[in-house]
């Protein structure tokens, strides 16, 4: 049966209308726990109120895991917005940086940018032509956490080198998978910068000496690993009764404290290495979709989410809007530039892995 001209026109109009009514997904690639359903709902309401109802936030099913995995997801075009750890951006000749676009910090949709810590908004390792490839979101220390139910403040190690003391033998937990922070401890204990091996990556002679099986660095690592009572592969076990000092990110320590634990970050004289998680825009996000992405980012650097960064995740907020920022209050130099994890290159990374493997066999 033939359709009338009116029917055909009506059906075509209906198809066009239904196509416009289907909002385009603003795809977010993030770490587990960083974006909550209530926050997605809040941003979607903002988008609608500000005339961007043709976009809706969708957190993709894949959680962030590490630099190589994040690179593969972003390269495949599966995300418009990402939550990259700062040093990932320029790892391996900046292969992730090539997939991102500079942030227009003067955008009227980024009104909360002015409240971010100035020390965190222009970190050299993630800049392109004078513009940042990121918005700081939240960070923390990768440090040693002490079980204060078993230790007194006066008993805590004061210097990193104290970790080699015989009284800590079998009572220390370190990561077996992420060896770079272990090397940072050894470097600090030797009076060197935490990322010494990375710093000398372009000096073949110096790199060769530190890679020698009998080098001072190797000997120091052998001694450190001999102290370890627990090597954790993907996350520390704070409930291991044998250990009282655990290397960890603040998020894991905060989670165990929320369950009734009493773990505190050891404030070494040398300080602790630090990391920063950031918000980034894929280079192909343009026009109104980019504007919608800015609205999302502005909400996530705003007070409500930044308060959760501190109180819910046990991290350090990037914004001054928060009611309190305990780790910054205790140490204003917490985010010292020299303590930031750097974008390791392949050669220095391989040597660190080699040193760690040797020490593990001792």
């Amino acid at each position: 049966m033939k359709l009338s001209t009116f029917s055909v026109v009506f059906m075509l109009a209906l198809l066009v209308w239904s196509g416009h009514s289907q909002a385009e997904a603003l795809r977010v690639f993030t770490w587990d726990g960083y974006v909550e359903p209530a926050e997605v709902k809040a941003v979607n309401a903002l988008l609608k109120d500000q005339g961007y109802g043709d976009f809706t936030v969708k957190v993709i099913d894949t959680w962030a895991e590490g630099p190589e995995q994040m690179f593969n997801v972003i390269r495949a075009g599966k995300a418009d917005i990402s939550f990259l750890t700062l040093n990932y951006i320029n790892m391996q000749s900046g292969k992730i940086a090539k997939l991102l676009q500079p942030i227009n910090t003067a955008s009227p949709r980024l009104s909360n940018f002015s409240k971010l810590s100035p020390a965190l908004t222009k970190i050299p390792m993630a800049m392109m032509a004078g513009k940042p490839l990121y918005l700081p979101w939240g960070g923390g220390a990768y440090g040693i956490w002490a079980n204060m139910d078993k230790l007194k403040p006066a008993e805590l190690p004061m210097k990193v080198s104290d970790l080699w003391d015989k009284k800590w033998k079998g009572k220390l937990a370190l990561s077996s998978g992420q060896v770079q922070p272990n090397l940072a401890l050894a470097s600090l204990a030797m009076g060197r910068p935490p990322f010494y091996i990375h710093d000398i990556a372009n000096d073949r002679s110096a790199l060769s000496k530190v890679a020698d099986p009998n080098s001072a660095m190797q000997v120091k690592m052998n001694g450190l690993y001999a102290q370890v009572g627990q090597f954790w592969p993907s996350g520390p076990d704070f409930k291991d009764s044998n250990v009282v000092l655990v290397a960890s990110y603040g998020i894991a320590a905060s989670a165990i404290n929320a369950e009734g634990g009493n773990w505190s970050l050891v404030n070494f004289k040398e300080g602790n290495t630090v990391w920063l998680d950031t918000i980034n825009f894929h280079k192909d996000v343009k026009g109104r979709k980019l504007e919608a992405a800015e609205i999302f980012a502005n909400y996530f650097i705003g007070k409500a989410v930044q308060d959760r960064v501190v109180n819910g995740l046990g991290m350090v907020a990037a914004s001054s809007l928060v009611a309190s920022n305990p780790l910054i209050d205790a140490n204003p130099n917490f985010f010292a530039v020299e303590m930031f994890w750097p974008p390791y290159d392949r050669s220095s990374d391989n040597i660190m892995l080699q040193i760690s493997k040797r020490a593990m066999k001792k």
Side-chain angles (χ1 to χ4, degrees):
M1 185 171 64
K2 293 181 180 179
L3 295 171
S4 67
T5 301
F6 174 79
S7 297
V8 172
V9 171
F10 176 78
M11 291 176 68
L12 287 173
L14 187 62
L15 287 170
V16 171
W17 176 83
S18 63
H20 281 301
S21 66
Q22 184 66 43
E24 181 180 352
L26 188 62
R27 301 163 302 167
V28 178
F29 180 30
T30 184
W31 301 86
D32 190 6
Y34 277 18
V35 179
E36 294 194 334
E39 293 162 347
V40 170
K41 185 177 180 180
V43 175
N44 284 335
L46 283 175
L47 291 172
K48 186 176 181 180
D49 290 346
Q50 296 181 31
Y52 294 87
D54 46 336
F55 297 99
T56 185
V57 175
K58 175 179 172 53
V59 177
I60 68 173
D61 295 336
T62 304
W63 296 122
E65 295 176 1
E68 195 64 32
Q69 178 250 12
M70 294 193 79
F71 167 71
N72 289 332
V73 170
I74 297 170
R75 180 179 59 174
K78 296 179 180 179
D80 304 306
I81 299 170
S82 57
F83 278 74
L84 287 160
T85 302
L86 185 76
N87 65 316
Y88 293 2
I89 294 173
N90 265 308
M91 275 186 179
Q92 297 182 21
S93 302
K95 65 181 186 180
I96 290 182
K98 296 180 177 71
L99 302 175
L100 307 177
Q101 62 176 289
I103 305 292
N104 175 17
T105 58
S107 168
R109 287 163 294 279
L110 290 175
S111 57
N112 289 323
F113 178 81
S114 63
K115 301 300 182 181
L116 294 172
S117 167
L120 301 180
T121 57
K122 294 181 180 179
I123 299 173
M125 74 173 84
M127 303 290 286
M128 177 182 286
K131 293 184 177 181
L133 292 171
Y134 72 98
L135 288 168
W137 184 69
Y142 183 95
I144 302 295
W145 297 76
N147 187 344
M148 301 311 294
D149 284 336
K150 295 185 176 181
L151 296 171
K152 297 176 181 178
E155 296 176 313
L156 297 179
M158 298 181 64
K159 306 187 300 294
V160 174
S161 59
D162 292 341
L163 294 174
W164 277 254
D165 192 293
K166 63 181 181 181
K167 75 176 182 178
W168 302 119
K169 188 173 180 63
K171 297 181 179 180
L172 174 67
L174 296 180
S175 168
S176 60
Q178 298 181 12
V179 305
Q180 297 85 354
N182 300 342
L183 269 295
L185 288 173
S187 293
L188 287 168
M190 297 170 69
R192 290 172 170 168
F195 308 110
Y196 173 74
I197 295 178
H198 169 79
D199 297 343
I200 63 170
N202 294 322
D203 186 335
R204 290 190 178 183
S205 177
L207 210 55
S208 177
K209 289 178 181 178
V210 81
D212 187 279
N214 298 310
S215 70
M217 180 67 76
Q218 184 67 65
V219 172
K220 201 68 176 175
M221 282 297 293
N222 295 347
L224 177 62
Y225 279 13
Q227 297 288 85
V228 176
Q230 174 203 134
F231 277 108
W232 52 265
S234 56
D237 179 8
F238 286 94
K239 297 179 181 179
D240 184 333
S241 60
N242 295 319
V243 300
V244 294
L245 298 176
V246 176
S248 174
Y249 298 101
I251 299 174
S254 178
I256 198 66
N257 284 342
E259 296 176 10
N262 186 19
W263 294 79
S264 293
L265 181 65
V266 177
N267 290 311
F268 291 114
K269 177 183 177 182
E270 299 88 346
N272 289 293
T273 58
V274 294
W275 50 275
L276 180 70
D277 281 343
T278 68
I279 299 174
N280 331 93
F281 302 147
H282 192 283
K283 65 178 182 178
D284 292 336
V285 179
K286 306 293 182 184
R288 283 177 53 77
K289 192 170 190 177
L290 176 58
E291 293 173 1
E294 290 174 339
I295 292 171
F296 171 92
N298 196 56
Y299 182 80
F300 271 76
I301 60 173
K303 179 173 172 53
V305 176
Q306 289 289 293
D307 276 336
R308 184 173 69 82
V309 166
V310 175
N311 301 318
L313 294 172
M315 293 166 55
V316 178
S319 175
S320 63
L321 292 170
V322 294
S324 65
N325 220 0
L327 292 176
I328 293 290
D329 295 340
N331 178 15
N333 294 319
F334 183 87
F335 280 125
V337 174
E338 66 273 13
M339 302 304 284
F340 269 105
W341 285 28
Y344 297 111
D345 60 18
R346 196 176 296 278
S347 59
S348 59
D349 212 30
N350 286 341
I351 286 175
M352 285 186 280
L353 288 170
Q354 183 181 55
I355 293 172
S356 180
K357 284 180 181 178
R358 287 194 198 123
M360 195 75 75
K361 293 177 180 178
K362 292 292 184 180

